[in-house]
Amino acid sequence: MTSGGIRFKAWAAAACALFGGAAWVSTAWANPQPGQLNMTRGVTEWSSEPYFLNNVALGVCIVIGVLVFGAMFIAMFRFRKSRGAVAEKWSHNTMLEVVWTTIPVIILIILAWMATGGLTSFADTTGSQMTVKVTGYQWKWRYDYVDYQGKAIDKVGFMSKLDEQSNETRQLDSGLDPRAVKVGDENTYLLNVDKPLVVPVDTKIRFVITAGDVIHSWWVPALGWKMDAIPGIVNAAWTNIKVPGTYRGQCAELCGQDHGFMPIVVKALPKAEFARWLAQQEAATKAPPATPATPMPAKASTAAAPANPAAKTAGKQG
């Protein structure tokens, strides 16, 4: 992947190491964790771009902050009136004004060029090996598998909504403990779903994202991006997950009263395992519906009943 951001990585990384120090040292968690200060590094081919650009911008801000506040505090304490300091009479310095205008402009141009390179690489969905349609509804997601490895996928899709345990726990006066909602050792209260989106690793996946009612936003931090889901508009994005695992996210657009109960779960599987899962899903959609059992006919009577019981009685009396 070629971009302005990547070409500047060596230079900017050195600048970050020199000026930022430990200010942005963080863990490499894929999913955000309590107490995490920095952005999520991510697990995809592209997620390193926003993580890197964030660190560069943070380094620039730290350097500027140190210089500005350092000069301010030096002026306040060293050159104060109580120490006999006398204010200068000049009000303009052309050279100084040129310097402190030119340097910020250069910094902004460099950051804009790097960010533009990252965005153009993110917008390029050509060469995708898989397409998934994502549709947001109040308050659930629908996933439809369109194609994989050049072959169309027929009728593989499902709704994904908040898992039942979280849904029961969130009800008023439920008496259930949110800390008890777990998958293994991970607390998944309001972060788990009944049916996750299953995708393969080492595959460029194109997402086409829209909505069926109001604006939503599909966001999984480990993928490194989020994309608005807008009714009547189809947005596109791509990802290439490098590490198998389960990655969680949420709707990032205020979409109604249950906005906070609209999680996203992406389950990334090795290619062989995903191929088996996809084959099972396709087989399930092609299986013929079960035929209801045919009721057994009633046993015929050995003697035919007379059509008119009254006539039978009259015959006996005669």
Side-chain angles (χ1 to χ4, degrees), residues 25-317:
V25 174
S26 68
T27 60
W29 287 313
N31 288 327
Q33 301 292 327
Q36 181 177 337
L37 298 179
N38 203 354
M39 287 181 60
T40 294
R41 188 184 296 273
V43 293
T44 70
E45 178 181 332
W46 190 81
S47 62
S48 61
E49 286 282 321
Y51 180 82
F52 166 75
L53 292 173
N54 171 75
N55 287 350
V56 172
L58 180 59
V60 171
C61 293
I62 290 175
V63 172
I64 293 174
V66 169
L67 293 176
V68 172
F69 285 101
M72 184 178 70
F73 286 123
I74 289 173
M76 290 170 58
F77 291 99
R78 185 175 178 182
F79 301 102
R80 61 184 186 272
K81 184 177 180 180
S82 61
R83 297 188 62 177
V86 179
E88 294 287 350
K89 302 299 182 181
W90 56 269
S91 59
H92 295 282
N93 185 306
T94 303
M95 180 59 68
L96 185 60
E97 291 177 358
V98 169
V99 170
W100 70 30
T101 301
T102 303
I103 292 177
V105 169
I106 293 174
I107 292 173
L108 290 176
I109 290 174
I110 293 174
L111 292 177
W113 185 53
M114 295 171 65
T116 302
L119 288 175
T120 54
S121 64
F122 168 67
D124 184 10
T125 61
T126 57
S128 299
Q129 301 161 289
M130 182 177 181
T131 302
V132 177
K133 180 183 177 184
V134 179
T135 308
Y137 296 98
Q138 291 178 312
W139 289 272
K140 59 186 74 67
W141 297 98
R142 178 170 179 84
Y143 302 115
D144 292 289
Y145 292 78
V146 180
D147 59 56
Y148 179 55
Q149 301 289 12
K151 297 181 180 179
I153 302 174
D154 187 30
K155 298 179 181 178
V156 176
F158 50 84
M159 286 288 190
S160 178
K161 59 183 178 63
L162 183 67
D163 72 298
E164 194 59 35
Q165 188 179 9
S166 289
N167 191 46
E168 291 178 358
T169 303
R170 77 178 181 91
Q171 304 300 322
L172 291 175
D173 302 321
S174 68
L176 300 175
D177 185 4
R179 293 170 295 185
V181 182
K182 291 185 176 183
V183 174
D185 294 331
E186 180 185 10
N187 184 282
T188 58
Y189 177 59
L190 302 183
L191 293 175
N192 203 18
V193 296
D194 57 348
K195 294 181 179 179
L197 173 65
V198 181
V199 296
V201 299
D202 297 319
T203 302
K204 186 173 182 178
I205 305 168
R206 178 169 66 108
F207 292 91
V208 288
I209 302 174
T210 187
D213 37 42
V214 300
I215 298 177
H216 302 276
S217 186
W218 201 80
W219 180 40
V220 179
L223 303 188
W225 53 266
K226 61 181 175 181
M227 182 64 69
D228 280 352
I230 305 173
I233 296 177
V234 176
N235 290 322
W238 69 274
T239 193
N240 189 342
I241 301 174
K242 295 299 183 181
V243 183
T246 299
Y247 306 108
R248 305 185 187 278
Q250 293 173 298
C251 175
E253 187 73 42
L254 186 59
C255 58
Q257 65 175 7
D258 283 351
H259 158 73
F261 311 121
M262 195 173 171
I264 302 164
V265 178
V266 176
K267 187 175 182 180
L269 301 177
K271 285 187 174 181
E273 191 173 341
F274 173 77
R276 290 193 295 270
W277 177 88
L278 183 59
Q280 292 172 355
Q281 300 301 309
E282 290 181 308
T285 61
K286 295 176 181 177
T291 304
T294 304
M296 294 294 294
K299 291 183 179 180
S301 175
T302 53
N308 190 342
K312 180 179 178 183
T313 303
K316 285 183 179 181
Q317 292 177 350

